[in-house]
Every structure is written in C-alpha cells, then in structure tokens.
Amino acid sequence: MHSPDHEVSTRPLGATGLQITPLTIGGAPLGSMPGNFGREVPPEAGVATALAALTGPVRALDTSAAYSAGESERRIGAAIRQVGGLPEGYVLSTKIARDLDSGTFDGAQARRSIAQSLRRLGLDRVPLLYLHDPEKNDFDQIMEPGGPVDVLRELRDRGVATSIGVAGGDLGTIERYVRTGYFDVVLTHNRWTLVNRSAGPLVELAASMGLGVVNAAVLGGGILGSGAGGSHRYAYREAPAELLDAIGEMEAACRDHGVPLAAAAIQFSTRDPRIASTIIGASRPERIDEAVALASIAVPDALWADLDLVAARVDPATLPA
C-alpha cells in the first residue's frame, strides 16, 4: 500500500476550494453491481478496494446512496473506520438519490438519503454531495421550494457538504440544472469518451460558468478497456455494430502507436484542461495502480488525430444513451 502522505498532483475542483487528483476511484463496482459490471464483488474484496483507494496515490473516491442499495457506502465506511477516519484533504463524494422502490424524490427523501449515507459512511459531513440522476424525476418537482435542490443547498450552508453537484446522464436535463447556478460541480458519464463526444457543449458550459467538471465511465462500462473483443456492451447496454466497428478501428490505431486502448480512453479525459477529475471504477485493489499507470503512459499527438477521425464518423444517434 502507498503512504497516504506522499506527494501527488492535484487540480482545483472549479471554485469549490477543494483540490482533487486527476483520477477519482469510482465506488459503484466495489459495492457489487453485477447487472452493470458483469460480476459479483464479495464484501471483503469491496472493503479491500476501498482501503486501497483511501491509502493510495488517488485522493478521491466517488459513491452514491443508489449504488447496490447502499452497499458501496457500507463497504467504504468499513474502510474509513479501518484507517481511522477520512484522510485530511481527501475528496469523498456521495449522492442523494430517489427512493429506489417507489421512485419518489422529494425533500423528505433527500433528507433520508443523506442521513442514511452518513450513517453508512460513519461520517458527519462529506466534501462533495451530488444530486443523483435527476432526469428520472420531474425537473419542477426537484426544484420546488423545500425539494431536493433546496435540501442540498441547505446541507451546504450547514457544512454537511463542503460543495454540491449534479450528476446524471441525460445531457439536456443536466444542462438545465447547471444553468440554475446553484451547483458547484457537474458530473457527466458515458458521454465524453473516445467514441461518444456528445457532452462537449455541457463540459464547455460548466467550465465557462466556473463549475468543477468530473467525467465518469470513460471506459464505457468496460469496452474501452478490454476492447471490442472482450465486450459487446457500451454504457451497460448492447452496443450497435457501427460502434463496435469504431472501437475496433480505435484499437487498431492504438496498436499501431504502441499504446493500450485503455490508456487512450483514460487520457482522453485527463488531458482535457476543463475536466478536474476522471472517475475510474474499481472492484479490486490492484485496479487503482493499474489506472494510475495507464494515465501516465505517453500518447503521441498522431494517435489523438487518428482517434479523432474515427470518432467523427460515429453517429451520436446510434449510441446507447
């Protein structure tokens, strides 16, 4: 394990005052979500991964109340206890979520969600708290007086969260929340990757407004790590033939330049000056050092040009949303 006090590079997370490493460990897989990630993760492996995340070179970890019905947070909480509390300066983020059984997402549910999260994590505050997947509920309901956004802002005012953000997939909906001016951070997933560049306008808008931008699922759920030969799914859904062909072309270009596809996929995000941190999911401790190594491999400019040409031929309408 790494010493928690070694020197690591950090970037400002927008105007939050938080400093964050270019990589963040994604806590969804360590809670065991076989429907998304294809395999079960036993509790001891999840806790070990969280321990490695808390003590390694990456100084940020992202989870949610919605991941495996809170199991991700429980395992992270066990690891936090083992290391004697959240390390100084560590950016832990979680997310308030709708009721997973009824779909209800009102102010009362927001309060229940954060109370349960803090209990599972064993903390009384978190550095970063997101509104999770608000596109699954009505915008006006989420924004109504006393609703989830009001609760989030109150939690920030009370210091329960240092900063607040909005995290989701549907770009039009997330843009509406960003434009309210209420949020410090935006998290987008699966839509700013080697093959799906549709979040470009959202990233530009958020950066121009001074928000911290966090980009998740840059491996598209795994296929941009394993290649088209290892998976036929992108964004947790079956990938169309055109997308698999494009990924195959990208693999070939990476081979020609002697660069792993996963390194290009990660660095597509980490090299973007508008993006403060890039989330890489992990369900085994060794994945963290692997991600750090992939993020530091030299990628020639000529490869980026080749990949851009392939991406330009991908029809966004064919991409799993």
Side-chain angles (χ1 to χ4, degrees):
M1 284 206 178
H2 297 263
S3 164
D5 58 359
H6 63 287
E7 289 296 315
V8 289
S9 66
T10 58
R11 304 170 178 180
L13 181 59
T16 64
L18 297 171
Q19 293 286 320
I20 195 166
T21 45
L23 293 181
T24 291
I25 300 305
L30 67 81
S32 192
M33 296 178 71
N36 280 10
F37 302 106
R39 67 186 195 89
E40 297 279 358
V41 178
E44 59 274 15
V47 174
T49 303
L51 270 172
L54 290 167
T55 57
V58 177
R59 312 298 296 148
L61 175 59
D62 177 77
T63 186
S64 172
Y67 294 159
S68 48
E71 184 61 21
S72 173
E73 290 178 327
R74 276 188 285 273
R75 295 177 184 186
I76 291 168
I80 289 172
R81 286 193 297 277
Q82 288 190 41
V83 299
L86 192 65
E88 182 72 26
Y90 197 96
V91 180
L92 175 68
S93 51
T94 193
K95 308 179 187 78
I96 62 168
R98 69 193 186 285
D99 183 281
L100 297 180
D101 296 319
S102 69
T104 300
F105 204 178
D106 55 15
Q109 169 58 22
R111 293 184 193 281
R112 280 193 298 272
S113 183
I114 184 59
Q116 292 165 354
S117 290
L118 293 174
R119 188 158 56 246
R120 288 188 287 258
L121 293 166
L123 300 172
D124 55 13
R125 59 177 58 87
V126 289
L128 178 55
L129 183 62
Y130 290 102
L131 178 74
H132 196 186
D133 286 348
E135 64 264 38
K136 298 182 186 298
N137 293 82
D138 180 69
F139 178 84
D140 291 333
Q141 179 194 18
I142 299 285
M143 291 293 299
E144 69 185 5
V149 170
D150 267 7
V151 171
L152 260 182
R153 298 174 73 198
E154 177 200 322
L155 291 167
R156 181 179 57 189
D157 290 345
R158 287 170 39 207
V160 176
T162 305
S163 299
I164 60 173
V166 58
D170 183 75
L171 294 169
T173 303
I174 300 306
E175 180 179 328
R176 288 185 76 185
Y177 284 100
V178 166
R179 288 189 182 278
T180 66
Y182 291 158
F183 296 94
D184 308 309
V185 180
V186 63
L187 187 161
T188 183
H189 64 80
N190 284 300
R191 291 159 177 84
W192 189 243
T193 73
L194 284 177
V195 291
N196 185 342
R197 314 227 175 156
S198 54
L202 175 67
V203 171
E204 185 62 31
L205 171 68
S208 73
M209 291 176 62
L211 275 71
V213 180
V214 177
N215 189 29
V218 292
L219 300 179
I223 191 170
L224 293 174
S226 65
S231 173
H232 291 97
R233 287 161 63 84
Y234 179 89
Y236 322 121
R237 293 175 178 82
E238 286 299 311
E242 306 96 301
L243 182 58
L244 295 176
D245 289 346
I247 292 170
E249 286 187 61
M250 289 184 169
E251 282 184 85
C254 286
R255 273 196 303 274
D256 289 345
H257 289 279
V259 173
L261 176 65
I266 291 170
Q267 291 186 45
F268 171 75
S269 181
T270 59
R271 73 197 284 263
D272 190 325
R274 303 169 302 178
I275 292 171
S277 196
T278 299
I279 298 178
I280 306 293
S283 58
R284 296 195 287 269
E286 60 269 23
R287 292 292 191 209
I288 296 169
D289 283 341
E290 289 171 10
V292 171
L294 288 166
S296 59
I297 289 172
V299 178
D301 289 342
L303 175 55
W304 295 123
D306 291 347
L307 295 173
D308 288 347
L309 285 173
V310 178
R313 296 199 299 273
V314 175
D315 179 0
T318 67
L319 293 167

